């Protein structure tokens, strides 16, 4: 049974199965081939296995004609596409035909027809066919790449057309009953799985001299390179190098260069960029790129030529990032420098003679790309001499000037602005390499003049419509930002000639003025750029003043004021992400470089409470600032006036500077993993300062000039700086310390002794590792030093214990005092309550009142003399008729307070009291006569 017959039988079986369905809603669908369709050859019954056997035979005389007829009948049968289930047999037949082409050229035509049919969509009978026949389809499509080895131009071109049809094939208009077309992306996916791209790249070597075939192959690779999987296969087959080496081959149509550049672009975007650069970084590829670029630069005038020229330059820029690329050896670097500067520096080189760039978008992009590639090329120091010969500094400095409106220039205002910013940014990379050229071109003078214009208020404002012009719309911030970057790059070279020339030209006062102007502008939209400008300004000032006292004196009080202004910034802004952190770092650096060492500036800084501001920042407890601030504090404490300021500072909750430093020490030790008990006491007296890192590291014998782990620990944390600051405060009479602080202070006080002990321990360990035997005297000395260090640790631990015990006793005493006070308070309350209860009882109960009265009278009688003295005057002490049980005093009757004392019944009491000193002093006493008998209305 043939394959087609088997397919028909399967169709009938499926149709019969569907008619037996129990669902009443199922409508049977039976594919029937009508006589009309059969006459057109939709699918005629054919035995593909018979054709394969026929093609494999080769011992009959009339066999060739039969073979050709059978293949042509097969082509006619499958004129609407191949079913997936037949692909393996179809491509086996195609392979047999291809094998006969070399000896029997007549097989080119049927093989070409079969390949043409492969361009049509494949057919599937079931939805699962795409998965079932995945392997067969992938292997079949891979065979197309192998067939490119057959030396037949027609066949190769047909293969390329077939593959291109994978991406642009038009579906057949005729519907084939019982079959569906596979999805449009199925062939593309199967081509990736089968590795067709790799085979097509390898075929490039076979057709180097056939232009038409080469163009078709490049067209195929252009389509294949749109997927990452194919690009990976092409890179594996060295596609980039093979294609780039032939960029300059003759091609009147221009398609070769266009398609090759497109393929290179796709490879760079969708595969390993480093691998592509490595393949292109050879002399052959760079020479080809060089010739193509030169031809397009000098002779390309169309819009398309200019675009292609820029694409080639971008590819070259990517290759130039590889230090191993022979850019100089092939002469490409010299030509690129010439092309980048010929419009600013006149040259007699025939390559650029008569050339002129227009203000078109492509030429504008070319100019920026040339500036960009100069930055990349200058990273190779061997390019320096070429940059000098090409007068690159002079060309770039022509843009560092105020735009001249009246002069007719080749660029528009917006274009010139962008090129100006790009040129200044390029100078930041090139000028530090060419100091002599920079100075000979009066670079400092031009920069300072341009900065003055940037800081000057006039009617000129930039458009801010580029990457470099970001944030500069309506102002000159962009120019100022890039100019300051250039100036910072030159200052940080620490070249004495450059820095001295800048200072003599008054750059310090100019920069201080720029900082003040920027600080006075509060535009929230440009706040980040303004902060960057201020940061760069302070960094430049730091670089200028760091090693020169005369420049620090020039920085003076005016400079100190701007530093204090930044230090007063609201701490909440440090978390805004706008750049306040960077500005604060720059400010701290400028304190170190511009103030320390100049006594007048130090005194002014102290006078303006600069130390208070430093400690305020330190109290924010942000680790990134602590190290730098503590370093500044160490240097500042050399000034005898500093200690008083440090001790006078108070933070939140009356925090003192000493307590703050000790808290920072504890926090640092906790982060370092130093062993301490719950009270902060030393745990290991032999290694009291050991961090967790030091515990993990094994001691190794090191040369004498290599710092050990103990020495490196000094520089890697802030403990040494805290010790230095507290040491300069004498460790005594430190205000505001708690018992916990004193316990920690004991360790800090002995920091240097402990650190020396660590180093001696390392020496002992290294001696043991190297198995050295010490002489007796050295051994005794080493043992004494080790024992002394351990004794210091024990002494400190003992002192800490005494402090903790003393504090515990003090806490107990304080607690007892509080309890005694509470007890007395409760006793007083009990007595008062008891007295009140007695009072209530006397007032509410007559018997209790009489009893209290009798007790009172008895007490009075018992207090009297038993015998009355002679000549004694007797005074009656009990008021008759008084029904009270409390002692009675003198009874006075006061009708009213005199108006002369209080100013009248309506006068304010507080006001009246305030007027007393003016009116003559305190209240006057009023004498009242005692009454022998109480009045009826007398108070009780």
């Amino acid at each position: 049974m043939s394959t087609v017959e088997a397919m028909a039988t399967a169709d009938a079986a499926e149709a019969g199965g569907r008619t037996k369905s129990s669902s009443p809603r199922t409508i049977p669908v039976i594919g029937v081939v009508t006589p009309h369709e059969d006459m057109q050859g939709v699918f005629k019954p054919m035995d593909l296995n018979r054709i394969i056997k026929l093609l494999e035979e080769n011992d009959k005389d009339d066999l060739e004609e039969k073979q050709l007829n059978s293949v042509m009948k097969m082509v006619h049968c499958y004129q609407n596409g191949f079913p997936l289930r037949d692909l393996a047999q179809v491509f086996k037949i195609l392979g047999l035909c291809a094998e006969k082409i070399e000896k029997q050229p007549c097989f080119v035509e049927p093989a070409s027809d079969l390949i043409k049919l492969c361009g049509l969509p494949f057919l599937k009978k079931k939805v699962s066919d795409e998965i079932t026949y995945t392997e067969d389809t992938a292997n079949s499509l891979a065979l197309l790449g192998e067939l490119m080895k057959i030396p037949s131009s027609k066949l190769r071109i047909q293969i390329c057309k077939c593959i291109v049809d994978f991406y642009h094939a038009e579906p057949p208009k005729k519907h084939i009953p019982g079959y569906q077309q596979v999805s449009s992306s199925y062939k593309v996916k199967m081509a990736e799985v089968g590795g067709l791209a790799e085979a097509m790249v390898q075929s490039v070597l076979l057709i180097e001299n056939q232009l038409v075939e080469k163009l078709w192959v490049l067209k195929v690779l252009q389509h294949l390179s749109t997927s990452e999987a194919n690009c990976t296969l092409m890179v594996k087959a060295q596609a980039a190098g093979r294609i780039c080496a032939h960029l300059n081959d003759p091609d009147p149509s221009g398609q070769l260069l266009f398609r090759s550049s497109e393929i290179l672009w796709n490879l760079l975007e969708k595969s390993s960029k480093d691998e592509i650069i490595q393949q292109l970084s050879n002399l052959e590829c760079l020479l080809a790129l060089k010739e193509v670029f030169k031809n397009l630069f000098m002779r390309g005038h169309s819009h398309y030529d200019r675009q292609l020229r820029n694409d080639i330059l971008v590819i070259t820029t990517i290759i130039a990032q590889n230090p191993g690329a022979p850019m100089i050896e092939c002469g490409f670097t010299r030509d690129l420098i010439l092309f980048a500067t010929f419009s600013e520096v006149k040259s007699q080189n025939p390559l650029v003679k008569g050339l002129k760039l227009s203000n078109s978008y492509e030429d504008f992009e070319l100019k920026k790309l040339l500036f960009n590639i100069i930055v990349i090329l200058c990273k190779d120091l061997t390019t320096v001499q070429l940059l000098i010969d090409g007068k690159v500094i002079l060309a770039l400095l022509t843009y560092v000037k105020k735009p001249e409106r009246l002069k007719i220039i080749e660029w528009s205002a917006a274009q010139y602005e962008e090129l100006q910013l790009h040129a200044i940014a390029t100078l930041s990379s090139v000028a530090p390499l060419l100091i002599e050229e920079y100075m000979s071109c009066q670079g400092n003078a031009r920069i300072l003049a341009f900065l003055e214009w940037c800081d000057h208020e006039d009617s000129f404002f930039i458009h801010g419509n580029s990457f470099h012009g970001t944030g500069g719309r309506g102002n000159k911030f962009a120019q100022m930002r890039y100019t300051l970057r250039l100036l910072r790059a030159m200052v940080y070279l620490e070249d004495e000639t450059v820095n001295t020339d800048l200072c003599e030209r008054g750059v310090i006062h100019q920069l201080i003025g720029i900082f003040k102007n920027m600080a006075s502008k509060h535009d929230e939209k440009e706040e980040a750029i303004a902060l960057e400008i201020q940061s760069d300004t302070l960094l430049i000032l730091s670089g200028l003043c760091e090693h020169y006292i005369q420049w620090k004196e020039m920085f003076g009080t005016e400079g100190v004021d701007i530093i204090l202004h930044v230090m007063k910034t609201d701490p909440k802004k440090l978390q805004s992400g706008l750049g306040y952190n960077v500005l604060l770092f720059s400010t701290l650096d400028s304190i170190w470089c511009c103030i320390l060492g100049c006594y007048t500036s130090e005194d002014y800084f102290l006078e303006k409470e600069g130390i208070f501001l430093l400690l305020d920042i330190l109290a924010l407890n942000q680790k990134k600032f602590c190290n730098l601030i503590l370093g500044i504090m160490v240097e500042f404490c050399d000034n005898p006036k500093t200690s008083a300021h440090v001790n006078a500072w108070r933070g939140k909750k009356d925090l003192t500077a000493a307590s703050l430093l000790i808290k920072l020490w504890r926090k640092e030790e906790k982060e370092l993993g130093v062993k301490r008990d719950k009270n902060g006491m030393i745990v290991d007296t032999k290694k009291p300062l050991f961090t967790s890192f030091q515990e993990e590291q094994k001691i190794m014998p090191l040369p004498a000039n290599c710092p050990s782990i103990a020495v490196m620990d000094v520089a890697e944390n802030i403990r040494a700086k805290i010790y230095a600051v507290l040491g300069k405060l004498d460790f005594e009479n430190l205000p505001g310390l708690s018992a916990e602080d004193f316990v920690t202070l004991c360790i800090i006080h002995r920091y240097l002794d402990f650190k020396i002990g660590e180093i001696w321990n390392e020496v002992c360990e290294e001696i043991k590792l190297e198995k050295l035997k010490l002489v007796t005297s050295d051994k005794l000395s080493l043992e004494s030093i080790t024992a002394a260090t351990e004794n210091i640790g024990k002494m400190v631990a003992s002192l800490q214990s005494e402090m903790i015990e003393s504090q515990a006793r003090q806490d107990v005493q304080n607690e007892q005092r509080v309890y005694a006070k509470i007890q007395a308070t409760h006793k007083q309350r009990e007595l008062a309550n008891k007295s009140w209860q007695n009072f209530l009882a006397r007032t509410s109960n007559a018997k209790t009142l009489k009893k209290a009265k009798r007790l009172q009278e008895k007490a009075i009688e018992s207090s009297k003399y038993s015998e009355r003295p002679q000549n004694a005057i007797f005074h009656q002490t009990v008021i008759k008729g008084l029904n009270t049980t409390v002692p009675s005093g003198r009874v006075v009757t006061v009708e009213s307070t005199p108006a002369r004392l209080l100013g009248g019944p309506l006068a304010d009491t507080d006001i009246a009291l305030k007027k007393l000193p003016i009116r003559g002093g305190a209240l006057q006493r009023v004498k009242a006569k005692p009454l022998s008998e109480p009045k009826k209305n007398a108070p009780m």
Side-chain angles (χ1 to χ4, degrees):
M1 183 184 293
S2 67
T3 305
V4 178
E5 289 173 345
M7 291 166 55
T9 304
D11 292 346
E14 289 178 3
R18 286 192 294 267
T19 56
K20 295 178 182 180
S21 174
S22 60
S23 174
R25 297 184 181 181
T26 303
I27 301 175
V29 179
I30 303 175
V32 180
V33 179
T34 63
H36 178 68
E37 290 174 338
D38 185 60
M39 289 177 62
Q40 292 182 351
V42 175
F43 278 129
K44 293 182 178 180
M46 292 199 69
D47 189 352
L48 296 181
N49 291 325
R50 186 184 64 81
I51 298 175
I52 293 172
K53 290 180 180 179
L54 183 63
L55 289 172
E56 289 175 346
E57 296 178 0
N58 52 13
D59 56 350
K60 294 183 180 180
D61 297 335
D62 58 346
L63 187 62
E64 180 178 322
E65 184 177 356
K66 290 182 180 180
Q67 291 174 339
L68 290 172
N69 288 334
S70 63
V71 174
M72 295 307 295
K73 288 181 181 179
M74 174 185 168
V75 170
H76 184 68
C77 175
Y78 291 104
Q79 61 184 340
N80 291 302
F82 294 116
L84 290 176
R85 64 175 64 184
D86 291 344
L87 274 183
Q89 294 172 303
V90 169
F91 272 85
K92 188 172 183 179
I93 293 170
L94 180 59
L96 293 172
C97 292
E99 292 174 0
K100 297 178 180 293
I101 288 176
E102 186 175 358
K103 295 180 180 179
Q104 298 172 282
C106 57
F107 277 93
V108 171
E109 190 67 28
S112 178
D113 291 340
L114 285 174
I115 292 172
K116 185 177 181 180
L117 292 177
C118 291
L120 297 175
F122 294 147
L123 304 175
K124 61 181 179 181
K125 195 167 188 62
K126 301 178 181 179
V127 176
S128 62
D129 282 355
E130 291 186 8
I131 300 174
T132 304
Y133 299 103
T134 296
E135 185 177 357
D136 290 344
T137 307
N139 294 335
S140 300
L141 295 182
L143 182 62
L144 291 175
E146 298 297 326
L147 294 178
M148 290 295 293
K149 298 177 182 178
I150 298 174
S152 171
S153 177
K154 181 177 181 180
L155 193 64
R156 288 171 174 171
I157 292 174
Q158 188 59 57
I159 291 172
C160 293
K161 288 181 178 179
C162 172
I163 297 173
V164 171
D165 286 342
F166 291 177
Y167 297 85
H168 305 289
E170 295 182 3
K173 298 180 181 178
K174 184 180 297 184
H175 174 69
I176 303 171
Y179 288 90
Q180 293 179 348
Q181 296 177 6
V182 299
S183 58
S184 58
S185 61
Y186 182 72
K187 278 188 178 181
V188 176
K189 183 66 177 178
M190 291 300 102
E192 295 175 2
V193 174
L196 179 61
E198 186 174 359
M200 294 304 295
V201 172
Q202 293 171 352
S203 68
V204 173
L205 297 175
L206 305 174
I207 53 175
E208 289 183 357
N209 300 321
Q210 288 82 23
L211 179 59
V212 177
E213 297 173 24
K214 186 188 297 185
L215 292 177
W216 271 107
V217 172
L218 290 176
K219 186 175 182 180
V220 170
L221 292 175
Q222 184 181 354
H223 284 81
L224 291 174
S225 63
T226 55
S227 76
E228 293 184 5
N230 285 335
C231 284
T232 303
L233 294 170
M234 292 169 68
V235 170
K236 184 179 179 181
Q238 303 292 316
R242 292 180 179 180
I243 292 172
C244 186
H246 297 280
L247 282 177
N248 208 32
D249 289 355
D251 174 29
S253 67
Q255 292 186 40
L256 186 146
L257 183 57
F258 165 70
R259 299 193 186 282
S260 298
S261 63
E262 184 72 18
I263 294 168
L264 291 176
W265 265 112
N266 290 339
L267 290 175
L268 286 168
E269 289 179 352
K270 300 180 183 299
S271 62
S272 173
K273 188 176 179 180
D274 294 336
E275 182 65 27
I276 299 297
I277 292 174
Q278 197 63 37
Q279 290 184 21
L280 298 177
S281 298
N282 58 71
L283 201 59
E284 186 180 11
C285 292
L286 287 173
L287 284 172
L289 286 169
K290 171 189 170 185
E291 294 303 318
V292 169
F293 181 75
K294 283 170 60 178
N295 291 334
L296 290 172
F297 192 91
M298 298 167 62
R299 301 179 183 89
H301 301 291
S302 66
H303 176 75
Y304 165 76
D305 288 340
R306 290 172 177 172
Q307 282 186 331
L308 192 56
R309 172 199 63 191
N310 292 352
D311 290 344
I312 296 297
L313 183 55
V314 173
I315 294 172
T316 304
T317 304
I318 295 173
I319 299 171
Q321 295 175 2
N322 180 16
M327 293 288 295
I328 298 176
E329 292 80 351
C330 69
F332 207 173
T333 299
R334 185 181 295 276
D335 289 346
L336 289 171
I337 292 173
L338 174 65
F339 292 145
T341 59
F342 81 94
S343 57
E344 290 82 16
V345 180
K346 301 303 178 183
S347 174
Q348 299 301 320
N349 193 303
L351 289 177
V352 294
K353 192 173 182 179
L355 278 179
K356 187 177 181 181
L357 296 177
S358 66
N359 60 357
S360 64
Y361 177 77
E362 288 74 23
D363 285 352
F364 174 61
E365 288 295 318
L366 171 69
K367 192 69 178 177
K368 293 194 295 181
L369 289 171
L370 288 170
F371 283 166
N372 185 55
I373 200 170
I374 286 177
V375 175
I376 295 172
L377 292 173
C378 73
K379 294 178 181 178
D380 185 358
L381 295 180
T382 56
T383 314
V384 171
Q385 187 58 47
L386 297 177
L387 295 173
I388 295 173
D389 296 340
K391 299 181 179 179
V392 174
I393 295 294
L394 180 60
L396 294 173
L397 282 174
T398 57
Y399 290 93
V400 186
K401 62 181 181 180
K402 175 183 177 181
E404 300 176 6
R405 294 186 177 181
L406 300 178
K407 184 178 179 181
I408 299 175
I409 57 176
E410 56 194 13
W411 308 110
S412 67
Q415 288 176 333
Y416 181 80
E417 169 197 315
E418 190 168 349
L419 288 177
Q420 183 184 56
L421 295 173
H422 207 145
I424 297 172
T426 305
L427 269 173
S428 300
S429 300
V430 179
L433 302 175
L434 308 173
I435 297 177
E436 293 183 3
E437 293 292 313
Y438 172 82
M439 294 302 295
S440 65
C441 295
Q442 298 293 316
N444 285 340
R446 295 191 185 202
I447 289 175
L448 296 183
F450 189 66
L451 267 180
E452 185 178 357
W453 172 77
C454 291
D455 195 40
H456 182 66
E457 297 288 343
D458 59 15
S459 58
F460 176 83
F461 297 111
I462 69 172
H463 298 78
N465 55 355
S466 66
F467 167 78
H468 295 290
T470 302
R473 189 170 186 82
N475 52 54
K476 303 173 189 174
F477 286 180
Q479 279 95 336
M480 183 178 291
R481 176 170 57 163
Y482 281 95
T483 307
L484 287 172
R485 286 185 185 179
L486 169 58
L487 191 59
R488 186 184 67 186
M490 297 308 299
V491 167
Y492 271 72
L493 292 173
E494 296 186 356
D495 185 88
E496 187 175 354
T497 305
V498 175
N499 290 359
T500 302
D501 182 62
L502 283 170
C503 292
E504 290 176 351
R505 293 180 183 275
V507 68
I508 293 178
H509 290 300
Q510 185 175 352
L511 290 174
I512 292 173
I514 290 173
F515 187 96
K516 288 182 176 179
N517 289 338
M518 295 304 300
S520 63
K521 297 175 181 178
H522 300 285
D523 190 352
E524 294 182 358
K525 295 181 180 179
E526 316 300 342
E527 188 173 6
I529 296 177
L531 292 173
E532 182 185 344
I533 291 173
Q534 293 177 63
S535 299
D536 284 342
T537 302
L538 291 176
L539 288 174
I540 294 168
L541 289 169
S542 298
L544 291 170
C545 300
E546 184 173 6
H547 304 296
Y548 301 94
I549 294 295
Q550 64 270 30
W551 307 137
K552 291 184 180 183
E553 292 175 351
M554 188 178 293
F555 184 78
T557 59
E558 191 177 9
V560 175
D561 286 335
I562 65 174
I563 289 175
L564 295 171
H565 172 77
V566 177
M567 294 176 67
K568 294 176 182 177
T569 304
D570 185 358
K572 295 179 181 178
K573 292 184 178 180
L574 296 175
Q575 310 299 331
S576 64
L578 294 173
Y580 281 97
N581 279 337
V582 179
L583 179 59
L584 186 54
F585 271 118
S586 304
T587 304
L588 295 174
D589 185 60
S590 60
I591 294 174
W592 192 294
C593 299
C594 302
I595 296 178
L596 288 172
C598 180
Y599 299 128
T600 56
S601 297
E602 286 185 10
D603 291 345
Y604 185 76
F605 184 81
L606 292 172
E607 181 184 343
K608 292 295 182 178
E609 299 182 350
I611 290 294
F612 290 177
L613 296 175
L614 271 178
L615 290 170
D616 287 340
I617 299 172
L618 188 62
L620 296 176
N621 205 10
Q622 296 192 14
K623 190 174 180 62
K624 52 192 171 185
F625 299 125
C626 289
N627 201 6
L628 188 53
I629 293 175
L630 288 170
I632 294 171
M633 293 288 295
V634 171
E635 297 295 328
F636 247 114
C637 284
D638 289 336
N639 190 322
K641 300 178 182 178
T642 305
S643 299
H645 288 260
V646 174
N647 290 327
W649 177 83
R650 292 293 182 274
K652 292 181 179 179
K653 298 181 181 179
D654 207 29
L655 180 69
T656 63
S659 180
L660 172 62
L661 293 172
I662 294 171
K663 282 181 172 60
L664 289 174
W665 175 285
R666 285 199 293 268
K667 180 183 177 184
E668 185 75 3
E669 286 198 330
K670 185 176 180 180
E671 293 176 356
L672 294 173
V674 181
K675 293 180 180 179
R676 297 281 185 263
D677 66 4
K678 61 180 182 180
N679 296 317
M681 290 178 55
I682 294 174
V683 175
D684 188 353
T685 57
K686 293 183 179 180
K687 302 174 181 179
L689 297 179
F690 253 44
T691 64
S692 58
F693 176 76
Q694 289 175 279
E695 292 282 356
E696 294 170 1
Q697 293 296 316
K698 295 182 180 179
I699 297 176
M700 298 174 59
L702 297 172
N705 59 347
C706 293
S708 65
I709 298 174
V711 175
M712 290 297 295
D713 176 72
V714 175
E716 290 176 351
N717 55 69
I718 62 174
R719 292 190 294 178
K721 292 184 176 65
I722 294 174
Y723 165 76
V725 174
L726 291 175
K728 292 185 177 183
L729 296 176
D730 295 331
F731 287 106
E732 295 179 1
N733 300 323
L734 297 176
L737 299 185
S738 63
E740 185 182 12
D741 293 337
F742 278 112
V743 170
T744 307
L745 187 63
C746 293
I747 302 174
I748 301 174
H749 194 191
R750 290 292 184 172
Y751 173 79
L752 188 58
D753 295 330
F754 291 150
K755 186 56 65 175
I756 292 172
E758 282 184 16
I759 296 171
W760 279 111
N761 285 332
E762 287 182 340
V763 172
C764 294
E765 292 296 329
E766 290 184 16
I767 290 172
K768 291 179 182 178
L769 290 172
E770 294 178 356
K771 297 180 180 180
L772 299 176
K773 189 174 182 181
L774 299 176
V775 297
T776 306
S777 59
D778 288 345
K779 185 177 181 180
L780 292 174
S781 299
L782 197 57
E783 290 175 353
S784 300
I785 293 171
T786 306
T789 304
E790 187 175 356
N791 289 335
I792 293 174
K794 292 178 179 178
M795 181 188 68
V796 172
S798 175
L799 181 60
Q800 289 178 321
S801 299
E802 292 178 5
M803 288 183 176
I804 292 172
E805 291 174 2
S806 175
Q807 182 63 33
R809 288 194 298 270
Q810 184 66 34
D811 291 342
V812 170
Q813 291 176 2
N814 292 337
E815 187 176 0
Q816 289 175 348
R817 292 194 192 98
V818 172
Y819 284 147
K821 186 176 181 180
I822 294 172
Q823 188 176 8
T825 302
H826 281 288
K827 188 174 182 180
Q828 291 294 330
R829 287 178 181 174
E830 289 175 1
L831 293 175
N833 290 336
K834 189 175 181 181
S835 175
W836 176 249
Q837 289 173 1
N838 291 334
F839 176 76
L840 290 179
R842 293 196 303 272
T843 57
S844 59
N845 191 329
K847 292 181 179 180
T848 305
L849 180 61
K850 291 177 181 179
K851 184 179 179 180
K853 182 66 175 176
R854 288 194 298 270
L855 290 173
Q856 182 185 29
E857 291 175 350
K858 185 178 180 181
I860 292 172
E861 290 298 329
S862 63
S863 65
K864 295 180 179 180
Y865 288 104
S866 57
E867 297 180 359
R868 181 178 301 174
Q870 295 180 358
N871 304 322
I873 300 174
F874 176 75
H875 296 280
Q876 185 69 29
T877 58
V878 178
I879 302 173
K880 294 181 179 181
L882 183 63
N883 297 322
T884 62
T885 57
V886 295
S888 301
R890 303 178 70 184
V891 181
V892 297
T893 302
V894 179
E895 295 181 355
S896 177
T897 303
R900 59 187 177 84
L901 296 179
L902 299 180
L906 299 179
D908 184 21
T909 304
D910 294 336
I911 296 176
L913 292 176
K914 291 178 183 177
K915 294 180 180 179
L916 284 178
I918 302 175
R919 294 178 177 242
L923 296 174
Q924 298 180 6
R925 294 183 179 180
V926 179
K927 295 182 179 180
K929 297 179 180 180
L931 299 176
S932 57
E933 293 183 2
K935 294 183 179 180
K936 293 181 181 181
N937 60 349
M940 297 294 293

